Amino acid sequence: MALPESITALIGALNRLPGIGPRSAERIALHLVQAEAGAARQLAEAILRARERIQFCSVCGALTETSPCDICSNPRRDGSLLCVVEQPVDILSVEKSGTFPGKYHVLGGRISPLDGIEPDDLRIAELEQRLTRESIREIVIALGTDVEGDATGYYLAKRLARPRLKITRIAHGLPAGTGLEFADELTLSRALEGRREMT
Ligand SMILES: [Zn+2]
């Protein structure tokens, strides 16, 4: 006996989400159709509400309900210090480490010719505009520690080089080949403290 079409469609939709394989998709779908109608509606509404309210911060590229975001519009954050990360979620990781007083800039990915991601696909031009508009003293490059993260870091250091601008990179010591989201808070705060100037 095949599953009814509406369940198959739900499984298909769940299966397209990151980290949810066919087995999990099936389990979640079967759970939802047997759960109280209220529970399913709550989930559907939470998804729609978040999707409608969340936008990208016009300055840093973070996910936010109000643009500019809380960090960009906070006068107590050190605007001369800018941490460059790959994805919005990386801001959370650095914030959790509790040691970074500056502001952020989200690139939106990393340079990856094999995947067809070129510098123009990233928010690098926006970063250059910020350098002319804001009085930024130091850029801290906090990208993943794999080959593409390294290559993107060096590309940025070269392209952003300007007199009186210090460009640093967080210290190695992050788990090799991983992104910031997998680093624990202590490791990340040490990596930030141990950042080195790029030449
Ligand atoms: Zn922002």
Side-chain angles (χ1 to χ4, degrees), residues 42-52:
Q42 241 173 34
L43 175 63
E45 281 169 1
I47 293 171
L48 287 175
R49 202 176 63 228
R51 187 63 193 86
E52 279 159 12

Side-chain angles (χ1 to χ4, degrees), residues 85-161:
V85 295
E86 252 174 70
Q87 301 294 346
V89 66
D90 297 329
I91 295 180
L92 292 180
S93 306
V94 179
E95 284 297 288
K96 269 191 241 157
S97 79
T99 46
F100 185 71
K103 297 187 174 181
Y104 295 93
H105 190 86
V106 179
L107 281 185
R110 61 174 87 182
I111 300 166
S112 172
L114 287 179
D115 299 317
I117 303 173
E118 306 288 339
D120 282 354
D121 298 317
L122 305 176
R123 300 181 65 254
I124 300 174
E126 286 88 337
L127 181 51
E128 289 176 317
Q129 283 164 18
R130 291 185 72 176
L131 285 175
T132 62
R133 219 171 41 224
E134 302 170 31
S135 41
I136 294 164
R137 219 169 15 85
E138 179 181 347
I139 288 188
V140 183
I141 296 177
L143 304 174
T145 54
D146 56 4
V147 177
E148 289 170 346
D150 279 343
T152 307
Y154 283 111
Y155 176 86
L156 285 176
K158 216 171 143 192
R159 180 161 158 183
L160 301 175

Side-chain angles (χ1 to χ4, degrees), residues 13 36 63 108:
E36 275 181 72
L63 296 175

Side-chain angles (χ1 to χ4, degrees), residues 57 59-62 68-69 71-72:
C57 171
V59 180
C60 71
C69 70
I71 293 178
C72 284

